[in-house]
Amino acid sequence: MLIIGELINGMYANIGKAIKERAKAEIQKCALEQIESGADALDINCGPASKQPLIDMPWLVESVQEVTDKPLCLDSSKPQVIEVGLEAARNKTIINSVTADPEKLDVIIPLAKKYNSQLIGITISKKGIPQNKDQRLELAAAIVASCAEKDFPVDNLFLDPIVLPVNVAQAQLKDILESIRDFKIISEPSPKTTLGLSNVSQGTNVRSLINRTFLTMAIAYGLDSAILDPKDKELMDALITAELILNKHIYCDSYLDAYKKK
Ligand code: THG
């Protein structure tokens, strides 16, 4: 499973401050710690407080790729911010994200093709976040159809059902899990799936427990990737164990250590 580290996000106070003060070493440390903990790729998000994302995004990309060749997941809802990130990147990239809005798809899919980037499609439309799994599937199918129409390979597409916090949208979580399974049957080859894991526990006081329980269940529904905190050791151990149980790697008594060394 593709593990995307979530911690380079201006939403976190230390990162928001480091972006503002151009504290490059702080950003690089955050990148390396996540990789050391098992991240395969790094989310890069300037955060809601950034007043100059067109300058902050390429600065973050350049700072991070001085210390790693891992893929970068460029996280912004603004196509211009994504594009300056793509221009600055020499590592592999994942565009995070595009909604199911036709106007957004018409702009972002050609960008993904031009820069040979992977793409995350989120099941949100102009009407907002869907209320049930049928609406999620409808938006997911619209994203896949738009990729097919524009000759963007579906193997390079991740669909994200948009995880909501359990304390405000408890009744939605079962549908979100089932969407992970249902998205796979939209096309052949199947699109991949991903999600922003920490959303599920926002505002609760047992975040780590809720995160690892939801992740374990999502993996059982066939999840291919997640944006998460790789420094949460219990979360990473649960992930490795869930994959072990699904026979994705071989059991030995030291399987946790063996996985981390691979
Ligand atoms: N899907 C996709 N991309 C995403 C998300 C998604 N990118 C952003 C987000 N959701 C995933 N990343 C985070 C990062 C941090 C938190 C949640 C999701 C988080 N932060 C603490 C909080 O808000 O309580 C901040 C704590 C602090 O300030 O220190 O929970 O769903 N495609």
Side-chain angles (χ1 to χ4, degrees):
M1 133 137 187
L2 182 82
I3 299 164
I4 305 170
E6 73 178 9
L7 297 176
I8 301 180
N9 188 320
M11 178 204 281
Y12 288 103
N14 64 324
I15 298 296
K17 187 163 171 277
I19 295 172
K20 222 169 156 187
E21 294 172 358
R22 291 292 184 260
K24 190 161 83 172
E26 181 82 9
I27 302 294
Q28 293 175 334
K29 179 166 148 272
C30 182
L32 291 174
E33 283 174 355
Q34 292 185 83
I35 293 165
E36 177 68 19
S37 306
D40 302 307
L42 299 172
D43 197 66
I44 308 284
N45 185 319
C46 306
S50 166
K51 291 196 185 72
Q52 38 173 13
L54 289 169
I55 300 168
D56 290 344
M57 177 60 91
W59 178 76
L60 281 171
V61 167
E62 281 155 17
S63 301
V64 171
Q65 64 191 6
E66 273 178 25
V67 296
T68 179
D69 294 333
K70 295 278 185 198
L72 304 179
C73 186
L74 307 174
D75 191 350
S76 171
S77 57
K78 300 191 182 80
Q80 303 92 315
V81 177
I82 299 277
E83 180 150 27
V84 292
L86 290 166
E87 270 167 13
R90 56 173 167 69
N91 297 10
K92 278 169 92 175
T93 53
I94 305 168
I95 294 174
N96 185 16
S97 53
V98 66
T99 64
D101 268 346
E103 299 94 88
K104 280 271 167 73
L105 290 161
D106 287 348
V107 175
I108 297 286
I109 295 173
L111 266 187
K113 285 181 68 174
K114 178 174 170 199
Y115 289 91
N116 199 17
S117 177
Q118 293 190 297
L119 175 63
I120 298 174
I122 56 178
T123 56
I124 292 183
S125 69
K126 282 205 188 100
K127 290 189 216 142
I129 295 180
Q131 296 301 307
N132 60 52
K133 68 175 177 187
D134 291 341
Q135 291 171 6
R136 285 193 163 79
L137 188 61
E138 204 174 298
L139 295 179
I143 294 169
V144 171
S146 185
C147 287
E149 193 184 293
K150 296 176 176 64
D151 272 329
F152 180 78
V154 174
D155 337 45
N156 284 339
L157 176 69
F158 291 87
L159 290 172
D160 177 344
I162 291 294
V163 175
L164 298 166
V166 66
N167 62 353
V168 298
Q170 186 174 1
Q172 292 269 337
L173 291 180
K174 189 162 170 282
D175 269 15
I176 292 169
L177 289 170
E178 289 173 4
S179 296
I180 293 165
R181 180 192 62 205
D182 295 349
F183 288 174
K184 286 278 163 189
I185 56 171
I186 293 174
S187 72
E188 178 61 48
S190 291
K192 298 189 183 77
T193 51
T194 193
L195 47 75
L197 181 67
S198 301
N199 301 3
V200 73
S201 63
Q202 267 174 332
T204 71
N205 63 8
V206 282
R207 295 205 62 173
S208 178
L209 174 64
I210 293 172
N211 289 345
R212 68 180 175 270
T213 304
F214 186 73
L215 181 66
T216 305
M217 296 176 78
I219 291 172
Y221 277 87
L223 187 70
D224 298 298
S225 160
I227 304 163
L228 51 71
D229 174 3
K231 289 170 72 179
D232 179 341
K233 187 175 176 303
E234 286 173 315
L235 175 67
M236 293 299 279
D237 287 352
L239 183 160
I240 294 163
T241 307
E243 290 197 321
L244 179 85
I245 287 165
L246 291 175
N247 202 26
K248 303 258 166 90
H249 38 88
I250 293 171
Y251 178 81
C252 63
D253 286 347
S254 58
Y255 72 88
L256 288 174
D257 291 336
Y259 180 95
K260 284 168 194 157
K261 285 199 190 102
K262 95 178 161 39

